[in-house]
Amino acid sequence: MRPRSLEVEGLGPFRERVELGFEDCDLFAFTGPTGSGKSSLVDAMVFALYGSVPRYGKRGVAPVVTQGRLQGRVRLVFTLGAHEYTAVRSVRLDARKRVNQEARLERGDQVLAGSPPEVTEAVEALIGLDFDQFTKCVVLPQGEFDGFLHAKPADRQGLLVALLDLGIYDRVAESARIRQAAADGEVAAIERRLRSAEDVTPETLAAAEKHVAALERLLERVEAAVPRLEALGTERSAAAEEEAKLARRLQRLTEVRVPEGLAGLAKRLDELREEVTVWEKQGTEAEASVAAAEDSLASLPERADLVSLWDRWRQRSALTEEIAELSARTQEYAEVLEAARRSHEMARERLERIRREHEAAHLRAGLEVGEPCPVCLRDIEEVPTAEEPGALTDAEATEHAASQELVKADRDHTSAVARLAASSKSLEALIATLESTPGEIDATLTKIDALVDARALARSQRDEARRKAARARAGLEALGAEERAAKRDLQRDLLVLAEMDPPALDVDDLAGAWEALTGWAAESLPGLAALRERALQKVAELEAGIRETTGKLQDACVEAGVEVAGGSIRDAVVTALATSRARREQMGERLEEVRQLGLERDNQAVKATVAKALAGHLRANNFEKWLLDEALRVLADGANRRLAELARGQYSLSLDSKLDFEVIDHQAADERRSVQSLSGGETFLVSLALALSLADHIAEMSAVGTSRLEAIFLDEGFGTLDPESLEAVASVISEIGAGGKMVGIITHVKELAEMVPCRFEVKKDAVSARVRRHDS
């Protein structure tokens, strides 16, 4: 893994966004005052890859977010081999400081992972190291720089197994075991197949060859007998056909019989023809009578019109009586009307008079002597006196009653006059329509009724004659059908018997023709029966010959084991021969298959033996220990070469029997002591030597021959070194950087930083930490 660029925002001291580019930086330093944020840049790289920060452990995510901020983000672009990858992670905190993390890993336009766990898993697969292993050999953070040096042998062993891909030997052993199981399974399967083919031997193949030869000879015999059987069969078919023809002729002769009822058929036909003629004549005469009655009726008026005329005569009498009654009633109403007028006039005059008397009395009541008169305007000398006026209310009631009587009398009179006028007008209109007299009407109606009765009688006679004529025609048709059927039967029998040369017959004389035909049939029966008997005897002789030849062939088939189930003997033999030949071929193929299976079984057995031996060797307990011992010795030798320069030959590393490191102090008579006895500066130098040795030798020690440690980051201990050691460290680190690996150091030691060609200066103000690149 080799970084290309880094973007950080909202993480650690980097409240504002910062960007770093590592192009052309094989050796660089993060420098700045203590607490400025140098280590936070390395933390950001590790967080982008694994979602964790070394100083907080695997689960400490919330503390990476800048205080006072709710979101942080990091974007790391790195290369691995020939491919470039981009890892992006962001952390958001809600109001309760709960963490919501998002992540994405891309290679070009392809998204390799889209969630935090998926990104971590993908990074581990690409780099080949988990978080703990990465922080022990790639990123050496503060407080853990000596992790590889002081690790337990088992932890150090696990790290080396991952770095060197020693697990491949376990996978090879497992593959060998799988191949051994597969080969053993193949051997067992082949053994089962061989057991199932135990019945296939050279002896059984020879028996099959013998059976094929026997069937071939049988087929030759059958094919030699086929022409004879075919000739017998043809002759037997011809004889059977002749016998069948004679049998049909005998059957036809025995079926020649005169149809029933043929004797009186001609007489019955003549009688029915006469009956049809008689009834058709009566029907024609009755139809003429019907036509004559209808002609007479057509010359007379319609009976409905005459009945209507009678009704109008009766209406005239009724109207005449009604007019006389209405005239008398109108006169009575006129007299009542006149009396009502006189009574009303008298009542009206009396009412006017009483009203005037009341007005005068009212006027007198207001007169005073000396006052002007309201009528003549002269002064009144004396107020006149008079009698009391009559009752005004009675006079008004009398006048009202008389007025009502007058209105009623006038209404009754007017209605009577109108009814009289209407009846008179109706009588005049009715008289205008009366043309015939009642006597004439009666005579015409009597004549019409007589003609209707005569027509009905004629129609009845006509219909009866038609029914009887139809019945006679139906009988005639039925007898004609019988006659035609008898003729058809005769013609059919003549046609059927044509090949026997029947006598010539007159079909029109049915009785005579049938008598001649039945006589001829009776005479022909004995000779035809004798011919059929001879034909039956010939068929039996031919069938006996066929049975004898076929029986011999069937016996031969039984002897050869050929089953003939009612079909052709030749077909059965051909089928049996084809089956036997196929079985012979199959036996030959199976014998060859058995030979090939034996060879394959031996081959699989060899594979199983080789795979078992390989798995056994790789399963040995000291194999991996031997590999790890060699790897640790190589690392120790490489670290000692670095220490010779870094510690100026003062001490070196060695491995004890438990694969743990110990120090050899060359200035104390090569005394061996624990690495725990080293001072802080000495521990830093030894740990640095181991880290650099691991970076140098990882490729050559890897089981697959590839290096994934393309960069190393050092974040501790430079302040504990004296100037000479510091210069030696800078020289060694520069040498590593020049060798193609990226080396990044985190230091606040100004002298060391100035020795590095590329520096990233980190400064922190009141707002945020900032980074500035300096190139020498």
Side-chain angles (χ1 to χ4, degrees):
M1 192 281 296
R2 186 184 185 96
R4 294 291 303 277
S5 65
L6 177 67
E7 297 178 13
V8 184
E9 180 179 5
L11 295 180
F14 297 98
R15 179 181 295 273
E16 303 295 335
R17 180 170 176 266
V18 296
E19 296 183 27
L20 288 79
F22 299 101
E23 294 83 359
D24 302 326
C25 283
D26 289 335
L27 175 62
F28 66 88
F30 291 151
T31 183
T34 301
S36 60
K38 304 183 295 299
S39 298
S40 295
L41 293 173
V42 178
D43 291 345
M45 294 184 193
V46 178
F47 181 72
L49 295 172
Y50 293 95
S52 300
V53 176
R55 72 181 73 185
Y56 299 129
K58 293 182 179 180
R59 299 185 179 276
V61 177
V64 304
V65 181
T66 303
Q67 291 186 356
R69 294 287 296 271
L70 296 178
Q71 182 172 353
R73 179 179 179 275
V74 60
R75 180 176 184 270
L76 174 65
V77 179
F78 63 94
T79 58
L80 194 62
H83 298 288
E84 182 176 276
Y85 300 86
T86 302
V88 181
R89 289 187 190 257
S90 64
V91 181
R92 290 199 304 274
L93 305 179
D94 61 14
R96 297 183 180 181
K97 301 298 182 180
R98 288 178 298 192
V99 177
N100 181 16
Q101 187 179 164
E102 297 179 356
R104 185 176 70 256
L105 179 66
E106 301 174 346
R107 184 173 66 192
D109 295 333
Q110 181 183 6
V111 178
L112 303 180
S115 68
E118 291 176 355
V119 171
T120 302
E121 183 178 354
V123 167
E124 290 177 352
L126 287 172
I127 299 178
L129 300 173
D130 61 17
F131 174 77
D132 292 333
Q133 295 164 346
F134 189 82
T135 56
K136 282 184 173 64
C137 59
V138 178
V139 175
L140 304 181
Q142 292 181 2
E144 299 181 21
F145 194 82
D146 57 351
F148 188 79
L149 176 66
H150 291 153
K152 295 179 181 179
D155 295 339
R156 190 185 301 121
Q157 186 174 345
L159 176 61
L160 287 176
V161 168
L163 287 172
L164 303 180
D165 279 329
L166 298 184
I168 190 173
Y169 298 108
D170 290 335
R171 295 192 293 274
V172 170
E174 180 62 24
S175 177
R177 287 190 290 272
I178 293 173
R179 292 191 179 190
Q180 177 195 347
D184 288 339
E186 286 292 327
V187 170
I190 292 172
E191 291 289 351
R192 288 194 297 272
R193 292 175 64 185
L194 288 173
R195 285 194 295 272
S196 68
E198 290 177 349
D199 59 329
V200 182
T201 63
E203 291 75 14
T204 57
L205 179 60
E209 291 281 1
K210 183 178 180 181
H211 188 246
V212 168
L215 289 177
E216 288 175 345
R217 289 192 299 273
L218 176 60
L219 181 60
E220 292 175 358
R221 179 179 175 185
V222 170
E223 289 181 340
V226 165
R228 170 62 180 162
L229 285 173
E230 288 179 350
L232 290 173
T234 302
E235 192 174 353
R236 185 261 179 202
S237 298
E241 184 178 353
E242 179 64 22
E243 186 277 329
K245 181 176 70 173
L246 293 172
R248 287 194 301 272
R249 290 182 176 182
L250 278 173
Q251 181 66 27
R252 291 167 184 170
L253 287 177
T254 57
E255 291 174 352
V256 176
R257 295 184 183 89
V258 178
E260 297 180 0
L262 186 61
L265 181 61
K267 181 180 179 181
R268 293 198 305 274
L269 283 171
D270 292 339
E271 291 174 352
L272 284 175
R273 291 190 185 99
E274 181 63 25
E275 187 177 349
V276 168
T277 301
V278 171
W279 288 116
E280 285 181 347
K281 180 179 179 182
Q282 290 184 9
T284 302
E285 292 174 352
E287 180 64 27
S289 299
V290 171
E294 288 180 346
D295 290 342
S296 298
L297 285 172
S299 64
L300 296 175
E302 291 293 334
R303 193 176 191 285
D305 294 340
L306 294 175
V307 172
S308 175
L309 186 58
W310 255 119
D311 290 341
R312 290 198 295 274
W313 276 103
R314 284 193 294 272
Q315 290 176 11
R316 176 186 175 188
S317 300
L319 283 173
T320 301
E321 293 176 359
E322 182 181 350
I323 288 172
E325 183 180 350
L326 286 174
S327 296
R329 191 176 300 172
T330 300
Q331 183 60 37
E332 291 176 1
Y333 283 147
E335 293 174 356
V336 172
L337 176 61
E338 184 59 30
R341 283 177 179 164
R342 287 196 298 270
S343 296
H344 179 263
E345 182 63 27
M346 291 174 62
R348 186 179 61 75
E349 289 177 354
R350 178 173 174 269
L351 176 60
E352 291 296 329
R353 178 174 55 77
I354 291 175
R355 283 177 175 169
R356 285 195 301 271
E357 288 177 356
H358 275 272
E359 290 175 357
H362 177 72
L363 185 60
R364 280 197 304 273
L367 295 179
E368 292 182 4
V369 177
E371 292 294 327
C373 177
V375 178
C376 64
L377 302 178
R378 289 183 298 181
D379 293 338
I380 299 173
E381 296 177 356
E382 181 182 1
V383 176
T385 61
E387 297 180 359
E388 284 293 325
L392 181 58
T393 302
D394 291 342
E396 288 177 345
T398 301
E399 191 275 337
H400 179 71
S403 176
Q404 292 296 320
E405 288 293 333
L406 177 60
V407 170
K408 181 177 180 301
D410 184 64
R411 186 169 57 247
D412 292 342
H413 179 263
T414 301
S415 175
V417 171
R419 290 177 60 191
L420 178 60
S423 297
S424 299
K425 186 175 180 181
S426 297
L427 181 60
E428 292 176 1
L430 185 60
I431 291 173
T433 63
L434 296 177
E435 300 175 353
S436 301
T437 63
E440 294 173 343
I441 294 172
D442 284 340
T444 304
L445 284 174
T446 300
K447 187 175 181 180
I448 289 174
D449 291 340
L451 288 172
V452 169
D453 292 340
R455 182 181 61 182
L457 177 60
R459 283 176 174 173
S460 176
Q461 293 172 348
R462 177 198 62 188
D463 294 342
E464 179 66 18
R466 287 178 175 175
R467 281 193 297 272
K468 291 181 177 180
R471 188 164 54 247
R473 280 194 296 271
L476 183 61
E477 179 61 28
L479 290 178
E482 290 183 18
E483 183 183 35
R484 290 191 295 274
K487 287 182 178 181
R488 284 196 302 272
D489 291 343
L490 179 61
Q491 291 171 343
R492 180 198 62 206
D493 288 350
L494 288 174
L495 182 61
V496 170
L497 300 171
E499 62 182 6
M500 290 182 279
D501 195 19
L505 302 174
D506 183 5
V507 180
D508 293 332
D509 183 10
L510 281 176
W514 273 109
E515 183 178 357
L517 184 60
T518 53
W520 170 81
E523 292 175 357
S524 302
L525 277 173
L528 193 59
L531 289 174
R532 180 173 181 261
E533 187 63 30
R534 288 195 293 273
L536 283 171
Q537 184 177 359
K538 184 177 181 180
V539 169
E541 292 172 355
L542 292 170
E543 286 180 346
I546 293 173
R547 283 194 300 272
E548 180 182 1
T549 304
T550 303
K552 291 179 180 179
L553 293 177
Q554 287 178 337
D555 292 341
C557 288
V558 172
E559 183 179 353
V562 177
E563 182 179 355
V564 182
S568 168
I569 294 177
R570 183 184 182 281
D571 292 344
V573 174
V574 169
T575 301
L577 178 58
T579 303
S580 184
R581 284 172 175 171
R583 186 170 181 274
R584 179 191 61 187
E585 296 298 328
Q586 185 180 15
M587 281 188 177
E589 292 173 358
R590 292 185 68 188
L591 276 176
E592 177 61 22
E593 182 182 359
V594 167
R595 189 183 69 81
Q596 293 295 334
L597 284 174
L599 296 175
E600 180 63 19
R601 176 193 56 193
D602 297 341
N603 183 37
Q604 291 296 333
V606 171
K607 288 183 179 179
T609 301
V610 172
K612 183 178 180 180
L614 178 60
H617 292 317
L618 294 178
R619 192 169 56 242
N621 294 332
N622 60 351
F623 181 73
E624 187 176 276
K625 182 177 181 302
W626 175 79
L627 289 176
L628 292 174
D629 284 351
E630 289 299 313
L632 285 174
R633 288 190 181 91
V634 170
L635 288 177
D637 291 343
N640 287 333
R641 286 194 296 272
R642 295 294 184 185
L643 281 174
E645 183 178 356
L646 293 173
R648 296 179 296 279
Q650 182 178 352
Y651 44 81
S652 61
L653 290 176
S654 179
L655 292 168
D656 61 15
S657 59
K658 296 181 180 180
L659 296 181
D660 207 352
F661 287 113
E662 61 182 2
V663 178
I664 301 176
D665 193 340
H666 298 296
Q667 293 182 356
D670 292 337
E671 178 187 0
R672 294 177 180 270
R673 55 190 173 92
S674 171
V675 294
Q676 303 293 337
S677 65
L678 294 173
S679 66
E682 291 172 339
T683 298
F684 174 79
L685 291 177
V686 173
S687 299
L688 177 61
L690 276 174
L692 296 178
S693 178
L694 186 64
D696 289 338
H697 297 95
I698 188 65
E700 63 189 53
M701 293 189 300
S702 174
V704 296
T706 59
S707 173
R708 289 165 294 182
L709 300 185
E710 302 177 20
I712 185 170
F713 300 89
L714 311 175
D715 184 13
E716 185 175 338
F718 297 106
T720 63
L721 302 178
D722 56 48
E724 292 183 4
S725 298
L726 191 64
E727 184 176 354
V729 167
S731 175
V732 170
I733 293 175
S734 298
E735 181 183 344
I736 295 296
K741 285 185 172 58
M742 174 180 283
V743 179
I745 61 176
I746 296 90
T747 182
H748 61 276
V749 179
K750 183 177 180 181
E751 292 80 5
L752 178 61
E754 290 177 351
M755 298 179 188
V756 176
C758 179
R759 301 184 303 280
F760 293 92
E761 185 178 3
V762 183
K763 292 183 178 181
K764 184 179 180 182
D765 55 24
V767 177
S768 174
R770 308 182 189 280
V771 181
R772 183 178 179 183
R773 176 172 172 172
H774 300 278
D775 294 316
S776 299

